């Protein structure tokens, strides 16, 4: 029997331990109450927030997200969604640090174009170098390229987050072998970010050995976001257990479940 301490081993990011391996976003919900209920159902402990699109106190006349998602309960992960240059991304992270009283953990994303929302890899590398040198703990959204993932780790990013498929597409992991190659060569947590559509997609990511999954649209655009958040929680847990258990080998032909030798009759 596997030691329970192994199956319940925490996710460690920037020296902090988390029980949940599901990270969630806060966009696209119909209101803050639905946001709160879905995130509670997900069991997530890390919640990412688009600094350029969300009120974190910079506008006192609008509802403040932190009123329903307390930093005392959740690790707030500011992200640079909507940034198309390294300079804008760095500026956004510095703004988040000011708004959140010196908060260092950020999610970096520098987009290449508005149609695909693919990462601009050279700009991402540039911004990552600047932010790490400036003392930030950088979790970074990137392509599913094992070489680039390793470069970002070498720069000093605390977690690398390859896409499964384009942001908001719900297509699931399109390049399993690329993701597997990233996982096998990493010394920092690898979390799939973008493209998950349903609980089975999350489970596949975990079965590949990913340390976690970040998602937003898959929950927020479900017919019942709260119920989908609960399903995603279970999918993450099942996928992690399956990875630790070790799947059976794939075979081209049948293999009888019962022994064919030493039969009693």
């Amino acid at each position: 029997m596997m030691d329970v301490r192994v199956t319940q081993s925490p996710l460690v990011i920037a020296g902090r331990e988390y029980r949940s391996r599901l990270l969630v976003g806060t966009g696209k919900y119909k209101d803050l109450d639905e946001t709160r209920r879905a995130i509670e159902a997900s069991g997530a402990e890390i919640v990412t927030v688009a600094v350029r699109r969300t009120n974190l106190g910079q506008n006192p006349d609008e509802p403040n997200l932190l009123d329903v998602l307390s930093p005392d309960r959740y690790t707030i992960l500011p992200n640079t969604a909507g940034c198309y240059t390294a300079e804008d991304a760095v500026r956004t992270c510095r703004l988040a640090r000011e708004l959140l009283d010196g908060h260092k953990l950020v999610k970096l994303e520098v987009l290449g174009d508005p149609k695909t929302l693919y990462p601009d890899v050279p700009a991402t590398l540039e911004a990552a170098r600047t932010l790490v040198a400036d003392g930030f703990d950088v979790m970074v959204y990137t392509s599913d390229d094992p070489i680039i993932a390793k470069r970002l780790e070498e720069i000093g990013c605390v977690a690398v987050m390859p896409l499964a498929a384009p942001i908001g597409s719900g297509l699931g992991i399109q390049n399993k072998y690329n993701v597997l190659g990233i996982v096998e060569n990493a010394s920092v947590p690898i979390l799939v970010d973008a493209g998950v559509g349903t609980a089975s997609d999350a489970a596949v990511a975990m079965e590949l050995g990913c340390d976690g999954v970040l998602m937003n649209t898959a929950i927020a655009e479900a017919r019942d976001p709260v119920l989908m958040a609960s399903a995603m929680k279970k999918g993450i847990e099942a996928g992690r257990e399956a990875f630790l258990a070790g799947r059976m080998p794939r075979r081209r032909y049948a293999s009888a479940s019962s022994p064919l030798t030493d039969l009693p009759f």
Side-chain angles (χ1 to χ4, degrees), residues 88-101:
D88 278 350
V90 169
R91 186 181 307 113
T92 300
C93 289
R94 289 172 175 164
L95 171 62
R97 183 166 59 185
E98 293 298 319
L99 289 171
L100 297 171
D101 299 322

Side-chain angles (χ1 to χ4, degrees), residues 74-136:
Y74 299 100
T75 293
I76 303 299
L77 178 63
N79 70 60
T80 60
C83 293
Y84 288 85
T85 67
E87 293 78 8
D88 278 350
V90 169
R91 186 181 307 113
T92 300
C93 289
R94 289 172 175 164
L95 171 62
R97 183 166 59 185
E98 293 298 319
L99 289 171
L100 297 171
D101 299 322
H103 188 84
K104 296 197 305 178
L105 185 66
V106 294
K107 180 196 168 191
L108 170 65
E109 53 184 88
V110 185
L111 303 177
D113 72 87
K115 182 177 181 179
T116 66
L117 300 181
Y118 268 39
D120 181 329
V121 171
T124 298
L125 291 164
E126 177 187 346
R129 290 189 187 97
T130 300
L131 290 169
V132 169
D134 198 18
F136 284 93

